[in-house]
Amino acid sequence: MISGTTTLIAHIGYPTEGFRSPPIYNAWFARRGIDAVVVPMGVTADHFPDVLRAVFRLRNLRGALITMPHKIATVGLVDALSPAARIAGSCNAVRLRADGTLLGEMFDGEGFVRGLLRKGCTMAGARALLVGCGGVGSAIAASLAGAGLASVMLFDTSEKHAAVLAERLHLHYPALDIGVGARDPAGYDIVVNATPLGMRDDDPLPFDAHRLEARSFVGEVVLRDTPLLRAARARGCTVQEGIDMLFEQIPAYLAFFGFGSATSDELRALAPNEQSPGFRRDDG
């Protein structure tokens, strides 16, 4: 029950009709007896800077979840950024700190890495191939590097995107071996498709799946069982669907906002209609 003591978390994006995570957070708060609520707030890009500043003047607001199309704009509106947010060049969470300043964080990559770790993947010393160097790909690269990756190969159809990400990674992780421009998946421990390819069954594969090795962990950001994942399973690979990344992110958000810990299995049990056609990753 919402009352005068309820702590608010804003969920800011546009449009809000596809948001699916607020009921998961709110069911978890209710189950744990936590007096907090996540509230969707529809804000268009032209009004977002003013709204973000204004909403943090609310004295019962602890933070905000930021979704499309505002994740990049948020970078220039907060007082401090985590390394992951700086590397990604975008934020999907903002917390009001005790001194009144705003901290921006990025959890897309954290969710991806948590999911791989749960599947038994060893990060320390691993070699990774990342195809797609946009916002979500950059966030995944940052979290993989932070988890102890030894080397990463970056590929994007925009050579500039790959080069910019390589520069940011090198600034924060100078010991990381970074390559740019190749997408042959042979020889890699971790292979990531961070492109939209796979949203439709007739999409081309992001790389030659016949070159995958059985020991590789293959991950997607697309929220469906894609042709790439089916091809990877046929090669004997361990795979991670995009939906896994979503449910591994939410515990990171909860900890960031100071609400304690949760497991992805616990949160999945609270998710309404996860398998429905309308379910999508609404934080990105």
Side-chain angles (χ1 to χ4, degrees):
M1 182 181 296
I2 297 174
S3 71
T5 63
T6 302
T7 296
L8 302 181
I9 300 293
H11 191 168
I12 305 176
Y14 187 81
T16 61
E17 288 79 6
F19 284 15
R20 293 293 183 269
S21 63
I24 302 173
Y25 287 99
N26 294 334
W28 187 82
F29 289 147
R31 176 172 291 187
R32 293 292 184 94
I34 296 172
D35 189 11
V37 64
V38 171
V39 182
M41 297 182 180
V43 182
T44 56
D46 52 337
H47 294 297
F48 176 66
D50 290 337
V51 169
L52 187 70
R53 284 188 286 267
V55 79
F56 274 99
R57 293 177 181 170
L58 299 173
R59 304 322 303 163
N60 57 338
L61 184 93
R62 184 172 299 182
L65 303 167
I66 308 295
T67 187
M68 298 298 289
H70 308 312
K71 295 198 293 185
I72 293 175
T74 303
V75 169
L77 300 173
V78 297
D79 301 295
L81 295 168
S82 71
R86 286 196 295 270
I87 293 170
S90 61
C91 293
N92 62 5
V94 179
R95 187 180 75 225
L96 180 64
R97 298 190 289 190
D99 62 359
T101 60
L102 301 180
L103 172 64
E105 185 51 283
M106 167 51 73
F107 288 115
D108 282 341
E110 177 73 9
F112 189 89
V113 167
R114 285 183 181 220
L116 287 186
L117 290 172
R118 275 171 55 87
K119 291 175 172 62
C121 181
T122 299
M123 298 289 172
R127 301 178 68 239
L129 168 66
L130 176 73
V131 178
C133 299
V136 65
S138 297
I140 290 171
S143 293
L144 287 171
L149 205 67
S151 68
V152 62
M153 175 61 69
L154 307 175
F155 179 87
D156 196 281
T157 53
S158 166
E159 294 181 3
K160 180 179 178 181
H161 285 171
V164 168
L165 175 55
E167 290 175 5
R168 289 175 176 169
L169 283 171
H170 180 71
L171 179 64
H172 292 277
Y173 300 98
L176 180 65
D177 181 14
I178 305 169
V180 175
R183 55 174 168 171
D184 181 356
Y188 289 97
D189 306 296
I190 301 166
V191 179
V192 185
N193 174 35
T195 77
L197 294 175
M199 294 183 71
R200 301 182 307 178
D201 278 331
D202 59 352
D203 282 341
L205 295 182
F207 47 77
D208 183 358
H210 291 98
R211 297 280 294 165
L212 286 167
E213 298 178 8
R215 64 182 179 85
S216 297
F217 284 76
V218 179
E220 275 274 22
V221 299
V222 176
L223 282 190
R224 65 193 302 266
D225 187 22
T226 64
L228 172 61
L229 293 182
R230 292 194 288 272
R233 289 192 194 96
R235 301 287 297 173
C237 302
T238 301
V239 303
Q240 174 163 283
E241 299 180 20
I243 195 71
D244 297 331
M245 184 170 71
L246 168 64
F247 283 102
E248 294 292 346
Q249 275 187 76
I250 295 177
Y253 282 120
L254 290 169
F256 178 67
F257 291 126
F259 292 119
S261 61
T263 69
S264 59
D265 290 338
E266 178 184 7
L267 293 163
R268 282 179 185 272
L270 299 173
N273 303 318
E274 176 188 335
Q275 301 303 324
S276 72
F279 193 92
R280 67 180 180 88
R281 184 168 62 88
D282 56 272
D283 63 306

